[in-house]
Amino acid sequence: MTDDPAAQTATETPTGQDPIVTRFAPSPTGHLHVGGARTALFCWALAKKLGGRFLLRVEDTDQKRSRDEAARGILDDLAWLGIGWDDGPEHQSPAGAFGGDERSVGPFYQSQRETLYQTFFDRLLERGLAYPAFDTPEELAAMRDAAQKDKRTFRYTQPEGYDLESALERAKTEEHVLRFRMPDEPVVVRDLVLGEITFTSEHFDHFVIRKKDGFPTYHFAVVVDDELMGVTHVLRGQEHLNNTPKHVGLMRALTHEDGTPFRVPAFAHVPLISNADGTKMSKRDKDKAVKKAARDAKREPADLAAACGLPEGHLASWFKDKSAQLELTALEKLGDDLGIELPEIEVDDFRRAGYLPEVVNNFLALLGWNPGDLGEREDGERFGMAFLAERFEPGRIGKSNSKFDREKLLSFNADTIQHRMTDGGFADAWRGWCKQNDPGVLEDFGGRWLLAARAARPRAKTLRDAADPLRFARIDATRIEYDEKAVKKGLLKGEPNGLEVLSRFEAEVLGAGAAESDPLTPDRFEPETIDARIRSFCESHGLGLGKVAAPLRVAITGTQVSPGLGETLALVGLDGVRERVRRCLKTHRTRDDSA
Ligand code: GLU
């Protein structure tokens, strides 16, 4: 340890033999937030750029809030995004197999590393750098109040007259925490994003490093693990910036068995992600959206309680308390009941809403980072993981918060689906989404899957909305409802009108008298053949394509908008087309006569 604050910097990145290691260290208390996903993506990109390793560690020391299921969900979301980790829990997913412990630095769940932490607690205790503290919550509150009265910030330091020996004796039988004697000297951090930051010591206190339950606090576990796992670069959200001097203090105090000190990694703190209105993008936004809709609809807690199956009292207090959050399932039920979509906040929300992982990554990478001068490259904002891995530079991360622009994300997604994917690639991605989220679509299109994908892709913005324009092909001919405007325009107007054209089409192309030289048969009922047959029908009657397309669209779908004509017909099959055309003629002929 040195008295010269300038020498106490956080830029002494280990060099030489050690590999570069970045890490993402989520706490498994819920779904993976997009902010967390962006941190993971940047850590991944930095490791790739520097030829290093990306490590994943699950920070589950908070026994009350950590859930196994959340940890699994986070691994799964990262795998889905294609942010694969080299070191960490082993995970198999359709996106690949990730993790493993090639460098023998695991286990990767902090809850399984208790004995390791104990060694380092003991070492600090031996050197008098940590001490047990027995203050009750009431005593701590009184200290805080006293500080507030004196208008000073409360910071815990060792009580006067504290005797370590008797405290250690007392600790054998009494509940206590362990506190770290944080050195009373400034800490300078040279951050790769924020530059040099000096933390002066007036805010430092003797913080808790081991909780009453024996588990390490986040500060302690993170420092020990980063060192033992060989982490060289700590890139994380800016909400952790004020924790950094604590961590550096611990790094300076901790040593290995042979006396070698801990190393100080390089730090990079990335700004937060905010909503379009500048507020922090948080899970609470879902609660906010539901509360607003309930207020607008003047709904009472009793009524809401019935909709989501929770007790009325619970709903009433949630409604009043701005920061209270409901379980996601309850919020979803309420959202359905109120007819609103919950805002997407977590990776899983975007996944279920039909966004493509490569698009989410591309969009997240641009939240606070930019690739700089792209020279000849057109469309500089659209790139994939390989480009990011090659170009990533923490120095190009902005210092201010980035706004989450939902429209931009949606337009990226639509652009990728419509212009950057093949029919086959889209069919695969859509199939994967439907399997998880809407298996009915898969069942309905079955063997016609590629055809459905081809029909849906040109207008799909997400995998979720892709099936919307194909509804006509998923229902029985008898359930087609004819849109009044479409009927007037497509069937009843003009000379000859749509009904006449349809009638001729029926007779010449579909009916018994269909042209023998060029018949449409069920096994030749493909978009290209159909389009060619329609074209020759138009030519032989001197009709423009629109004149034939309009009544056919009304007959098959009930509307004037549908996918490409050949695809629309192919999707319902030759018999389906016959049935729909005949039903349409039958339904509207009478109207024509009376018109
Ligand atoms: N478990 C911490 C979190 O989820 C990680 C913080 C860090 O990266 O040091 O916020």
Side-chain angles (χ1 to χ4, degrees):
M1 185 127 1
T2 166
D3 288 328
D4 172 9
Q8 210 176 11
T9 63
T11 52
E12 299 149 32
T13 313
T15 50
Q17 315 260 313
D18 297 324
I20 295 286
V21 180
T22 68
R23 54 51 161 193
F24 179 55
S27 305
T29 54
H31 284 294
L32 179 63
H33 185 280
V34 284
R38 184 193 57 172
T39 301
L41 180 66
F42 285 179
C43 288
W44 174 92
L46 184 59
K48 299 296 145 193
K49 161 88 183 182
L50 300 176
R53 305 179 72 79
F54 172 51
L55 177 144
L56 181 67
R57 177 175 70 229
V58 179
E59 305 213 319
D60 57 350
T61 54
D62 187 336
Q63 291 286 286
K64 276 193 218 108
R65 298 180 61 224
S66 298
R67 288 182 290 119
D68 288 350
E69 179 200 316
R72 273 197 303 276
I74 292 172
L75 302 192
D76 202 47
D77 283 342
L78 287 171
W80 176 74
L81 284 167
I83 306 177
W85 52 101
D86 306 298
D87 305 319
E90 288 184 19
H91 185 79
Q92 302 273 353
S93 80
F98 303 119
D101 194 8
E102 216 177 275
R103 294 185 299 129
S104 303
V105 293
F108 298 98
Y109 285 81
Q110 287 186 328
S111 58
Q112 296 167 15
R113 300 174 61 82
E114 259 191 283
T115 43
L116 283 167
Y117 303 130
Q118 202 48 53
T119 317
F120 291 97
F121 287 131
D122 291 344
R123 214 165 280 153
L124 284 183
L125 277 164
E126 271 160 32
R127 293 169 56 213
L129 295 173
Y131 59 89
F134 304 87
D135 315 88
T136 61
E138 294 75 28
E139 283 164 341
L140 287 170
M143 290 181 215
R144 243 176 241 119
D145 285 350
Q148 208 175 9
K149 262 188 211 128
D150 298 350
K151 296 206 163 48
R152 55 184 169 84
T153 332
F154 169 65
R155 49 185 201 122
Y156 190 101
T157 46
Q158 199 171 51
E160 266 179 45
Y162 183 96
D163 175 47
L164 185 60
E165 232 169 87
S166 58
L168 287 174
E169 206 41 50
R170 205 177 143 192
K172 285 184 186 155
T173 53
E174 263 181 62
E175 214 174 47
H176 64 281
V177 298
L178 218 54
R179 287 183 178 267
F180 172 60
R181 196 188 291 279
M182 176 76 183
D184 197 3
E185 52 197 38
V187 172
V188 179
V189 172
R190 230 168 268 149
D191 192 278
L192 298 176
V193 175
L194 302 169
E196 188 173 290
I197 306 166
T198 303
F199 294 89
T200 49
S201 63
E202 73 263 19
H203 300 301
F204 298 169
D205 71 348
H206 292 181
F207 56 93
V208 176
I209 53 176
R210 191 176 68 198
K211 296 179 273 188
K212 279 191 182 146
D213 61 8
F215 276 94
T217 56
Y218 152 68
H219 303 302
F220 190 81
V222 88
V223 168
V224 170
D225 288 347
D226 281 346
E227 172 70 11
L228 298 188
M229 295 178 177
V231 170
T232 56
H233 292 69
V234 170
L235 185 153
R236 60 186 169 194
Q238 246 178 51
E239 67 273 24
H240 289 293
L241 182 63
N242 286 333
N243 295 328
T244 307
K246 289 190 168 100
H247 300 176
V248 174
L250 275 171
M251 286 160 192
R252 298 277 166 193
L254 285 161
T255 51
H256 291 272
E257 200 172 2
D258 63 1
T260 23
F262 275 27
R263 296 157 302 179
V264 179
F267 288 101
H269 287 94
V270 295
L272 301 181
I273 298 177
S274 67
N275 290 311
D277 64 3
T279 56
K280 188 180 165 214
M281 192 174 166
S282 104
K283 290 180 192 176
R284 289 209 183 97
D285 295 344
K286 293 185 186 173
D287 296 76
K288 270 197 221 160
V290 173
K291 282 181 194 172
K292 182 177 180 305
R295 226 172 275 125
D296 290 350
K298 302 203 171 22
R299 300 281 291 272
E300 296 298 325
D303 174 28
L304 297 173
C308 71
L310 289 175
E312 186 184 338
H314 193 76
L315 261 289
S317 54
W318 165 78
F319 214 69
K320 266 187 244 139
D321 180 354
K322 265 195 179 159
S323 61
Q325 284 179 265
L326 282 188
E327 281 287 313
L328 186 59
T329 43
L331 286 173
E332 282 174 346
K333 282 187 195 155
L334 290 172
D336 283 349
D337 191 61
L338 290 158
I340 58 155
E341 294 271 354
L342 300 184
E344 292 107 358
I345 307 288
E346 286 132 347
V347 171
D348 187 57
D349 299 333
F350 291 96
R351 191 173 169 178
R352 288 193 290 154
Y355 287 89
L356 299 162
E358 62 270 33
V359 171
V360 175
N361 280 335
N362 182 183
F363 176 78
L364 288 180
L366 290 167
L367 281 180
W369 179 79
N370 72 77
D373 181 18
L374 290 161
E376 296 294 291
R377 204 169 177 276
E378 279 174 27
D379 198 6
E381 287 208 306
R382 303 305 317 275
F383 49 78
M385 296 290 265
F387 177 84
L388 182 64
E390 191 187 301
R391 299 291 287 252
F392 188 76
E393 270 275 356
R396 299 203 67 87
I397 296 175
K399 291 187 177 55
S400 49
N401 292 355
S402 345
K403 287 209 167 115
F404 196 94
D405 181 346
R406 291 173 187 276
E407 272 171 36
K408 177 167 168 175
L409 173 60
L410 185 63
S411 83
F412 272 21
N413 209 58
D415 171 59
T416 297
I417 291 179
Q418 295 168 16
H419 307 296
R420 293 168 196 259
M421 285 181 115
T422 58
D423 284 331
F426 173 71
D428 289 346
W430 193 32
R431 182 188 288 116
W433 186 88
C434 288
K435 251 190 210 163
Q436 295 265 324
N437 301 283
D438 197 356
V441 177
L442 265 180
E443 282 159 28
D444 286 353
F445 291 115
R448 294 169 302 157
W449 188 253
L450 196 60
L451 181 61
R454 236 181 97 169
R457 191 169 74 85
R459 284 198 290 149
K461 289 185 173 163
T462 64
L463 300 174
R464 184 173 66 187
D465 74 18
D468 293 352
L470 308 189
R471 187 179 167 272
F472 71 91
R474 302 177 64 195
I475 55 175
D476 248 33
T478 52
R479 287 181 53 213
I480 296 284
E481 283 170 20
Y482 301 101
D483 171 70
E484 190 55 30
K485 261 198 203 148
V487 168
K488 281 203 178 121
K489 204 162 163 226
L491 297 182
L492 308 178
K493 268 200 184 145
E495 189 50 46
N497 72 13
L499 283 172
E500 278 175 59
V501 175
L502 201 58
S503 210
R504 270 187 234 164
F505 188 84
E506 207 263 304
E508 292 174 32
V509 183
L510 306 170
E516 271 178 23
S517 58
D518 194 9
L520 281 174
T521 58
D523 57 331
R524 283 187 60 212
F525 208 64
E526 266 128 39
E528 293 73 18
T529 336
I530 298 168
D531 282 333
R533 189 67 191 84
I534 293 173
R535 269 196 308 274
S536 70
F537 174 81
C538 288
E539 276 159 27
S540 66
H541 291 278
L543 293 168
L545 184 60
K547 209 61 210 162
V548 182
L552 269 174
R553 282 210 156 90
V554 178
I556 310 295
T557 73
T559 71
Q560 287 218 297
V561 247
S562 81
L565 200 56
E567 277 121 15
T568 301
L569 269 65
L571 270 174
V572 297
L574 181 54
D575 290 339
V577 173
R578 284 188 177 128
E579 191 186 356
R580 285 169 194 231
V581 167
R582 280 170 200 156
R583 178 172 175 263
C584 179
L585 287 171
K586 205 169 142 206
T587 314
H588 298 99
R589 237 179 217 142
T590 41
R591 285 187 59 176
D592 187 36
D593 294 344
S594 60

